[in-house]
Amino acid sequence: AQSVTQLGSHVSVSEGALVLLRCNYSSSVPPYLFWYVQYPNQGLQLLLKYTTGATLVKGINGFEAEFKKSETSFHLTKPSAHMSDAAEYFCAVSEDDKIIFGKGTRLHILP
Amino acid sequence: ETGVTQSPTHLIKTRGQQVTLRCSSQSGHNTVSWYQQALGQGPQFIFQYYREEENGRGNFPPRFSGLQFPNYSSELNVNALELDDSALYLCASRAGTSDFYTQYFGPGTRLTVL
């Protein structure tokens, strides 16, 4: 079975600083990988996804992620954090017809 | 917004009761999945429906059941509610062909069991 590990349940960065949220996956087949964001009291919004092709994937709100097969990683980055980026972020992998989620990383933005 | 809608937004029930949650999928999407998100956790897959048939199920007991209708809307039913069923229930839909693996989520229904 596939799985996802997100390193750090809470990450704090200063406004304007680099955001780096770490995700490692385990998969026996080429994975389809996703990052979702969840704002307080809301559902999940798709930030970006990797299926095939280019390993650097650009998403909404200035986020991007790079698929590194050799490291089994799919880390999420953003060059400059905004206060509005404060939310819960979930890395996920597709297995058959379902999505397996990590436990999430709560991103705090410091003024 | 994804076009996936869920109702109600909040619900309070007592232990032992039954509950029905509803989901309307995004236009053109014929597959609907349900997920349970407990507080502080990532969503967990409950089951999936395709063309009105259940075609995948996670590690949830039979008291969790569902339906999908010809218009691809869906219901999640939970019988004999337990305190641990308190969670955010998310519905997700996806297209049957292109963009096959991408699921689009609704805003969720917050269920509280007392």
Side-chain angles (χ1 to χ4, degrees):
Chain A
Q2 300 182 60
S3 65
V4 173
T5 302
Q6 292 185 241
L7 300 177
S9 58
H10 292 264
V11 170
S12 296
V13 301
S14 298
E15 192 174 17
L18 171 72
V19 175
L20 171 61
L21 303 183
R22 300 178 186 274
C23 172
N24 289 90
Y25 68 91
S26 68
S27 174
S28 59
V29 297
Y32 296 92
L33 296 160
F34 308 85
W35 275 99
Y36 285 87
V37 61
Q38 186 174 38
Y39 297 100
N41 300 313
Q42 293 188 27
L44 299 171
Q45 180 181 7
L46 180 66
L47 269 180
L48 50 79
K49 63 183 178 183
Y50 169 79
T51 53
T52 59
T55 56
L56 182 62
V57 180
K58 295 185 184 299
I60 62 172
N61 301 337
F63 285 94
E64 61 182 36
E66 186 171 11
F67 169 60
K68 291 187 176 181
K69 183 178 179 181
S70 61
E71 299 177 7
T72 60
S73 69
F74 191 57
H75 302 331
L76 181 70
T77 60
K78 181 174 180 177
S80 177
H82 296 157
M83 296 300 292
S84 60
D85 294 327
E88 186 91 20
Y89 291 80
F90 292 95
C91 182
V93 62
S94 179
E95 178 180 87
D96 299 325
D97 288 338
K98 64 180 181 286
I99 292 183
I100 297 171
F101 289 87
K103 292 186 176 182
T105 297
R106 182 163 297 277
L107 177 63
H108 305 270
I109 310 297
L110 307 174
Chain B
E1 293 189 0
T2 63
V4 180
T5 59
Q6 293 185 243
S7 63
T9 54
H10 295 85
L11 204 53
I12 299 175
K13 292 286 188 177
T14 57
R15 194 169 48 183
Q17 286 188 312
Q18 178 267 341
V19 68
T20 297
L21 311 181
R22 294 178 175 83
C23 170
S24 178
S25 61
Q26 184 165 319
S27 177
H29 287 188
N30 57 13
T31 303
V32 174
S33 300
W34 286 90
Y35 291 78
Q36 180 196 65
Q37 185 180 16
L39 197 62
Q41 300 295 317
Q44 299 285 320
F45 175 73
I46 303 176
F47 46 55
Q48 178 177 268
Y49 278 81
Y50 172 67
R51 293 186 176 179
E52 304 176 53
E53 296 284 336
E54 182 182 302
N55 74 338
R57 189 176 185 93
N59 189 25
F60 282 82
R63 60 188 185 84
F64 285 78
S65 63
L67 284 172
Q68 188 181 30
F69 300 100
N71 66 354
Y72 304 137
S73 65
S74 177
E75 287 183 355
L76 164 65
N77 299 289
V78 186
N79 294 321
L81 284 167
E82 301 177 0
L83 297 179
D84 286 347
D85 295 334
S86 295
L88 180 68
Y89 287 85
L90 296 163
C91 167
S93 73
R94 66 172 173 82
T97 53
S98 64
D99 203 15
F100 184 80
Y101 291 100
T102 303
Q103 298 196 20
Y104 297 90
F105 286 80
T109 294
R110 174 76 60 188
L111 173 64
T112 302
V113 182
L114 302 176

